[in-house]
Amino acid sequence: MRQLRESLLEELNSKNMLETIGTFNHLFRYSGTAEGEAAVSYLEEKLSEYGIPFEHCEYDGFFSLPVRAFAKVDGVEYPLVGDVYSAEADSLQGTLYYDSLSEEKGLTKNQEKDRFESFRDKIVLTWESKGVFVRRAMEAGAKAVLHICATKGDYIHHSNIGMIWGTPDFDEAAYMKFLPSAGIRRADGEALIEKMAAGEMDAEVTIEMETKIRRSSMVAVDIKGKSDSFVLVSGHYDSWYEGITDNAVSDAILLEYARVLYAHRSELKRGVRIAWWSGHSDARYSGSTWYYDHHWEDLKENCVAHINMDICGCKGSDVVGMRTSMLEGEAFDREFLREFNDKEPEAPTPMVRFADQTFWGADIPFAMMPQFIKQDHKIFSWWHTKEDTFDKVDPEVTLRDTRVIAKLTAIFANCEKLPAEMSGFVSFMENELRSIEQKLSAEF
């Protein structure tokens, strides 16, 4: 196994990855658009050049893109970014209301009830942006929601208020109705809060969206091993704007890894399946969900691990961490991460819906996502913005991140026994369930 890992690491080529990143740098890769399809064509052309067979997938997805959005308050126009699946608004007028309780945690049920009742007929300015909150605001009679971007600086991150995983079916249509919802810059939000301290203010909101069903393509490579079992390694190719670190670098890493790994396919005990999804950001994981639905039996029967790549190659990243389902155990993760960190690695953190957890229901035992972060734990602030450009990439960091995924995948593909640490996992799950139990009402 060690010999295979060393061969893979030695054969990785930074120039190949930079070529892919450079190509994607000229494409706004929205799902089902000409530039999104151009990205798939490029991947398939390179795979063909390398002599690697691939599966071309197509599906109909329900995608949503903001076109333009702004709010006018007291004669001043504030730029907005419409949320994925936001309803449209054409000069919608109403009283601006600050949801001050969005800064609080641990509200009682009565506080929550009073909070949402106060939204009726208001344009709500808030720090909350999740789809569940926006839906509750709609049900409470709010006219619109403007959520303040928590990141300091001139940023408005694209957000998604959809709650249906994948393309919604007819019986889920009721959950796809939303009110107008958009993000606003932190400085603008704070300025409005200060102005509202003097009394109520009227606002006018315009949000134009392009929300419709489009045909989208994806590509997957199935590198067979000596058994039917396999490791799934995935990332999304769709982006906001150029989306270089989120997620063109990951796409380039996966393509280069496919090239190197395919040359060593005869040495694999388990196969490796590499997939590039669409519909991650401009829908709600519609591409990976479609793939899951159409490959469920194979995934359930044969997939031993899912490794997801998202936000890689960032200039300034000096720490590699791990988000994980915790089955492999903390000792495994720490030992693996020591090679890629100057200091003793931190403990892994339990997997959250940070990237793409479409595959839980197929009972895939291991779910892992390497984290490429900074020692000060401050996140890279350019994700889902126009600032996620080529200048944010460090080629050396990109090569490091490629080595991480190459080594991790090789371990799961070629280890004799999968590294499950059951006693620790059971303890972790019991603690999680006890924590939930403490928050439940007596009625439950």
Side-chain angles (χ1 to χ4, degrees):
M1 181 170 69
R2 181 177 296 275
Q3 183 178 355
L4 172 61
R5 291 207 306 262
E6 294 305 316
S7 297
L8 295 174
L9 297 179
E10 288 174 4
E11 294 172 24
L12 295 169
N13 188 320
S14 291
K15 290 183 179 179
N16 290 340
M17 291 184 279
L18 290 173
E19 177 199 306
T20 300
I21 298 167
T23 300
F24 280 23
N25 186 45
H26 300 286
L27 300 173
F28 284 12
R29 302 177 305 281
Y30 304 130
S31 302
T33 66
E35 293 188 39
E37 294 299 296
V40 176
S41 296
Y42 170 83
L43 291 170
E44 293 180 346
E45 287 167 7
K46 295 302 291 185
L47 291 169
S48 297
E49 178 185 321
Y50 299 149
I52 304 174
F54 57 83
E55 177 186 6
H56 177 88
C57 307
E58 291 187 11
Y59 71 101
D60 291 321
F62 188 49
F63 305 110
S64 181
L65 297 174
V67 177
R68 67 187 184 109
F70 58 89
K72 292 181 179 178
V73 184
D74 197 23
V76 179
E77 185 171 296
Y78 297 89
L80 307 173
V81 172
D83 294 329
V84 170
Y85 298 126
S86 168
E88 294 190 300
D90 184 8
S91 300
L92 173 69
Q93 297 183 355
T95 300
L96 190 64
Y97 174 81
Y98 176 49
D99 173 28
S100 58
L101 289 179
S102 62
E103 297 186 65
E104 305 292 332
K105 293 183 179 179
L107 299 178
T108 67
K109 289 184 177 180
N110 284 337
Q111 286 176 316
E112 284 284 291
K113 179 175 178 292
D114 293 342
R115 175 192 182 190
F116 281 94
E117 285 180 352
S118 66
F119 292 174
R120 181 167 295 280
D121 294 327
K122 302 292 198 307
I123 295 173
V124 181
L125 182 66
T126 181
W127 291 94
E128 287 211 43
S129 61
K130 292 182 178 178
V132 172
F133 169 81
V134 175
R135 185 168 184 83
R136 287 190 66 184
M138 179 187 72
E139 292 170 346
K143 286 188 171 183
V145 167
L146 305 181
H147 52 83
I148 304 167
C149 179
T151 305
K152 292 181 179 180
D154 193 26
Y155 296 105
I156 309 177
H157 300 289
H158 282 258
S159 294
N160 189 321
I161 56 175
M163 296 187 294
I164 299 299
W165 218 267
T167 301
D169 208 339
F170 289 111
D171 60 349
E172 297 166 327
Y175 296 99
M176 298 305 294
K177 182 180 179 181
F178 294 100
L179 77 171
S181 177
I184 185 171
R185 289 184 301 205
R186 178 170 182 152
D188 291 341
E190 290 175 334
L192 287 172
I193 293 170
E194 189 174 335
K195 286 183 178 181
M196 291 164 67
E200 289 188 348
M201 303 178 69
D202 291 329
E204 181 182 296
V205 174
T206 294
I207 301 175
E208 184 181 347
M209 303 291 296
E210 183 184 295
T211 301
K212 62 183 181 180
I213 295 172
R214 288 196 295 266
R215 192 79 171 166
S216 179
S217 300
M218 304 184 297
V219 60
V221 169
D222 192 9
I223 303 174
K224 299 290 187 182
K226 293 182 174 66
S227 70
D228 291 334
S229 61
F230 64 90
V231 179
L232 173 64
V233 189
S234 72
H236 67 90
Y237 75 79
D238 63 297
S239 66
W240 292 116
Y241 317 104
E242 298 97 328
I244 296 301
T245 65
D246 184 13
N247 200 31
V249 174
S250 296
D251 301 322
I253 287 172
L254 294 179
L255 180 60
E256 176 61 8
Y257 187 51
R259 181 189 71 84
V260 172
L261 189 63
Y262 189 71
H264 292 271
R265 59 192 181 279
S266 63
E267 302 170 48
L268 293 173
K269 289 184 173 67
R270 302 177 186 89
V272 177
R273 191 170 300 179
I274 300 173
W276 293 263
W277 314 127
S278 64
H280 172 93
S281 297
D282 48 25
R284 177 61 88 193
Y285 311 106
S286 61
S288 56
T289 302
W290 178 92
Y291 189 89
Y292 170 86
D293 288 344
H294 287 76
H295 297 78
W296 185 84
E297 290 182 353
D298 189 20
L299 289 163
K300 185 174 178 64
E301 186 69 25
N302 297 313
C303 187
V304 299
H306 174 217
I307 301 170
N308 188 255
M309 297 290 284
D310 205 335
I311 307 186
C312 302
C314 297
K315 188 176 290 183
S317 170
D318 52 8
V319 169
V320 180
M322 192 74 73
R323 285 198 183 276
T324 166
S325 60
M326 309 297 281
L327 180 59
E328 73 285 351
E330 183 176 331
F332 172 92
D333 290 321
R334 284 188 185 275
E335 180 60 31
F336 173 83
L337 292 170
R338 283 191 179 100
E339 179 183 336
F340 304 102
N341 288 280
D342 294 331
K343 299 180 179 179
E344 179 64 16
E346 296 185 9
T349 52
M351 185 67 79
V352 296
R353 199 221 69 213
F354 178 68
D356 194 334
Q357 296 314 310
T358 295
F359 300 93
W360 291 123
D363 298 332
I364 299 170
F366 297 90
M368 307 181 76
M369 180 183 177
Q371 284 186 293
F372 307 107
I373 52 179
K374 297 186 285 187
Q375 286 187 3
D376 59 11
H377 288 267
K378 292 180 180 177
I379 64 171
F380 298 104
S381 54
W382 53 72
W383 59 276
H384 286 200
T385 73
K386 293 180 179 179
E387 305 302 316
D388 188 5
T389 47
F390 202 97
D391 61 304
K392 306 302 189 299
V393 177
D394 184 327
E396 287 301 313
V397 173
T398 298
L399 185 58
R400 178 206 66 185
D401 298 350
T402 310
R403 291 176 178 273
V404 170
I405 195 65
K407 181 180 176 182
L408 186 62
T409 306
I411 289 172
F412 278 89
N414 264 26
C415 60
E416 292 293 337
K417 183 180 179 182
L418 291 167
E421 206 282 279
M422 290 305 298
S423 60
F425 179 72
V426 170
S427 281
F428 164 75
M429 288 303 298
E430 182 174 5
N431 290 336
E432 291 291 301
L433 293 170
R434 295 293 182 202
S435 175
I436 293 171
E437 184 179 42
Q438 292 173 5
K439 300 173 185 176
L440 297 175
S441 65
E443 291 81 0
F444 186 88

